[in-house]
Amino acid sequence: VGGPDAAAKHAEELRAIKEKDPEFYKFLVEQDKVLLDFGAPDDEDRDEEEEGGEAEEAGDDGGLKGEDVAGAGAVAQGRVLTRERLERIQASAKDSFTACKAALNIYHTAVRSIEAQSAEAEAAEEEVDGADGEGDAGRRKKKKKQKEKSAVALKKARQRLFIIDDEAIFSDVVEWSIGNLLDLFKLYAGEARPAEASAGGRGGKKRKGGQQDTAAAPAEAKPGPTDPRTCQRWLRVRVLAHIFWEDTFVLLNHLVAQEMLEAVLRCCSTPEALAWLWPFTAVRQRYLKRVSFLWATSPAQEVRLLAFLFLRNAAAIVMCSSDSPKSESLQLEALIKLALRAFADVASQGYTWRSISTFRFLENCIVELLRLDDATAYRLGYVCLRQLALILRNACVNAVAGTGGPGAKAKAKARAMKKALEKAKEKGKADGGQKKHKGAQQQ
């Protein structure tokens, strides 16, 4: 998929950047090999895909050699990201794949800084909580673990290509990355292959344990957004897309401001964005759980609405392009069950007249999901009614038998007290009889 044409195109892109900005061109050439050399999230099948994509990316270096970038990582460590450099990278991302990787690296650095701050705050809280009620051995053990974590975090920080120390730059990085990176991945992935080429060109290969690789393109073209696995250069951007979704999930977990959550969900809930999430099964499941939680618990109506839009579009994609033809109804059922469980958890905490409108909204959302497929709605309704009937039957049986409920406990307690009183009376009578017998003998 790579080859001389891709290498020539990339070299032409670099030459254009060299003419516009020689200093920035030098930076890109030096850092091309280390832009993705950071603690990227683990992927169960990433190694296999990288083996197939290394030859591809080798053709995109524009003739760069390994010795040209020797020692560049040491020089780049500790480099503070300035607004000028950020604007150059963002402006060049559409023209240079290297600049696109640099933009992703900056986004990763910004997101992981949030995670590091949260970890430090949690460690401080644990230290305060553990100061009371623990011995010296326990405190030493915790201190040792904290030192090890700090050492790992420091090592990762030293390996970072950029350092962001300005909140305004951080906000710009997050906002721009969420809104533009997926479009850049689509640009560099190329056009979609025909259905015949997708089915025969790159068959799905087996992973360890005999599982089929989800990176393989589907055999038939289906309605809906374009499946990125059918793109000509999918393997070129697959790792980048996975890193993007992992980092965005960190944002969803750690963001507190409802406005930021709204912005993230607005960009990630579109069918086109979800199509780029769909190839990563494990990450997708984590997103569905987190978004279901936000849909049920967020105090902001806009966040709840966008979270439902995420679930609704995800359900539509399940019906258009499920993992396998036989698993469509099972996947849709699992998604609706996630929403039902989140709704049940919130309802179990109680509600007031002020939250009635919120619960009506959640109920309408569930009805909307059930309307997608009649067979799935019938199956879920049957199972729920059966469970309700069993609960009602058990409650009635326990009430009749007198073994359940607060009334049964009160009766059991009364019976126990009655038995104790009877025993006390019998003991008193026995003691009185013994005293009379002793008195008669003495006389």
Side-chain angles (χ1 to χ4, degrees):
V1 182
D5 294 339
K9 182 179 179 181
H10 189 65
E12 184 179 353
E13 292 173 354
L14 289 178
R15 280 196 296 272
I17 295 175
K18 183 178 180 181
E19 294 175 359
K20 295 179 182 179
D21 193 340
E23 183 182 353
F24 184 54
Y25 166 80
K26 182 181 178 182
F27 167 77
L28 290 180
V29 170
E30 288 177 350
Q31 306 305 328
D32 185 60
K33 298 291 184 181
V34 297
L35 285 172
L36 292 180
D37 186 19
F38 49 83
D42 295 331
D43 188 9
E44 55 187 357
D45 53 353
R46 173 180 168 183
D47 295 336
E48 294 179 6
E49 290 300 334
E50 283 185 334
E51 289 175 4
E54 280 177 0
E56 250 183 312
E57 299 223 7
D60 292 331
D61 291 336
L64 299 177
K65 303 298 182 182
E67 56 269 16
D68 294 337
V69 293
V75 177
Q77 286 177 2
R79 181 167 297 177
V80 177
L81 180 67
T82 61
R83 183 166 295 280
E84 293 75 15
R85 174 152 290 163
L86 175 63
E87 291 175 353
R88 287 186 213 168
I89 291 175
Q90 292 175 350
S92 304
K94 291 184 179 180
D95 302 322
S96 170
F97 188 60
T98 303
C100 177
K101 291 191 289 184
L104 178 64
N105 189 293
I106 294 171
Y107 179 57
H108 176 85
T109 301
V111 170
R112 296 297 163 167
S113 65
I114 299 177
E115 194 176 32
Q117 292 173 2
S118 300
E120 290 176 1
E122 290 176 1
E125 289 179 1
E126 289 179 0
E127 186 176 356
V128 172
D129 295 339
D132 301 330
E134 281 195 9
D136 294 337
R139 284 197 293 270
R140 283 197 297 268
K141 193 177 289 186
K142 279 193 173 182
K143 204 169 184 180
K144 184 178 179 182
K145 287 184 180 179
Q146 290 172 4
K147 283 184 178 180
E148 291 176 356
K149 289 182 180 179
S150 300
V152 172
L154 183 60
K155 184 178 179 182
K156 288 183 178 180
R158 288 176 178 173
Q159 292 175 348
R160 286 174 185 163
L161 186 60
F162 302 101
I163 295 178
I164 302 175
D165 58 357
D166 189 347
E167 292 185 3
I169 293 179
F170 170 84
S171 300
D172 292 344
V173 167
V174 172
E175 183 178 354
W176 184 91
S177 300
I178 291 174
N180 294 276
L181 280 178
L182 287 177
D183 292 335
L184 293 175
F185 298 157
K186 184 177 180 180
L187 173 66
Y188 289 110
E191 298 292 333
R193 295 189 297 268
E196 296 79 5
S198 299
R202 284 185 184 269
K205 58 183 180 181
K206 296 281 185 178
R207 291 199 302 235
K208 295 180 181 178
Q211 296 180 352
Q212 191 74 10
D213 188 359
T214 57
E220 298 180 0
K222 296 183 178 180
T226 303
D227 191 334
R229 293 170 290 186
T230 63
C231 295
Q232 298 175 356
R233 308 295 305 279
W234 160 241
L235 293 181
R236 185 190 191 194
V237 298
R238 182 180 184 275
V239 175
L240 276 67
H242 184 269
I243 294 170
F244 169 80
W245 285 114
E246 286 280 3
D247 290 340
T248 306
F249 183 75
V250 173
L251 275 181
L252 284 179
N253 274 335
H254 290 86
L255 285 178
V256 178
Q258 299 299 312
E259 294 80 6
M260 291 292 292
L261 279 174
E262 181 182 348
V264 173
L265 287 172
R266 190 179 299 280
C267 295
C268 297
S269 60
T270 62
E272 292 76 15
L274 289 174
W276 281 86
L277 172 64
W278 221 248
F280 312 109
T281 307
V283 182
R284 181 210 316 165
Q285 293 301 322
R286 281 185 279 152
Y287 266 88
L288 292 175
K289 289 181 181 178
R290 180 60 183 170
V291 172
S292 298
F293 177 80
L294 292 175
W295 164 73
T297 61
S298 176
Q301 177 66 16
E302 293 80 6
V303 174
R304 288 196 297 268
L305 185 60
L306 290 170
F308 171 69
L309 183 62
F310 186 103
L311 296 175
R312 174 65 175 78
N313 288 336
I317 291 180
V318 166
M319 300 182 68
C320 293
S321 57
S322 58
D323 293 339
S324 64
K326 295 182 180 180
S327 67
E328 175 182 324
S329 60
L330 295 178
Q331 284 184 263
L332 181 60
E333 183 177 344
L335 191 152
I336 298 175
K337 281 183 177 179
L338 279 176
L340 286 171
R341 192 173 295 115
F343 174 79
D345 291 341
V346 174
S348 64
Q349 299 173 8
Y351 58 91
T352 63
W353 63 271
R354 293 184 178 180
S355 59
I356 287 179
S357 60
T358 299
F359 279 93
R360 291 292 177 267
F361 167 76
L362 298 178
E363 291 167 1
N364 291 333
C365 291
I366 292 175
V367 171
E368 183 69 21
L369 291 176
L370 291 172
R371 284 177 177 173
L372 291 174
D373 185 60
D374 293 340
T376 302
Y378 175 82
R379 188 164 54 252
L380 275 173
Y382 177 81
V383 170
C384 293
L385 286 175
R386 184 173 180 274
Q387 290 176 347
L388 183 61
L390 287 174
I391 293 171
L392 183 60
R393 174 186 174 277
N394 293 335
C396 293
V397 169
N398 292 336
V400 171
T403 59
K409 290 183 179 179
K411 290 179 182 179
K413 190 175 180 180
R415 285 196 297 267
M417 290 178 66
K418 187 176 180 181
K419 287 182 180 180
L421 289 172
E422 289 177 356
K423 286 182 180 180
K425 287 180 181 180
E426 290 176 359
K427 188 177 180 181
K429 289 179 182 179
D431 292 342
Q434 288 178 1
K435 287 179 180 179
K436 286 181 182 180
H437 181 67
K438 286 181 181 180
Q441 286 179 353
Q442 287 176 359
Q443 288 177 358

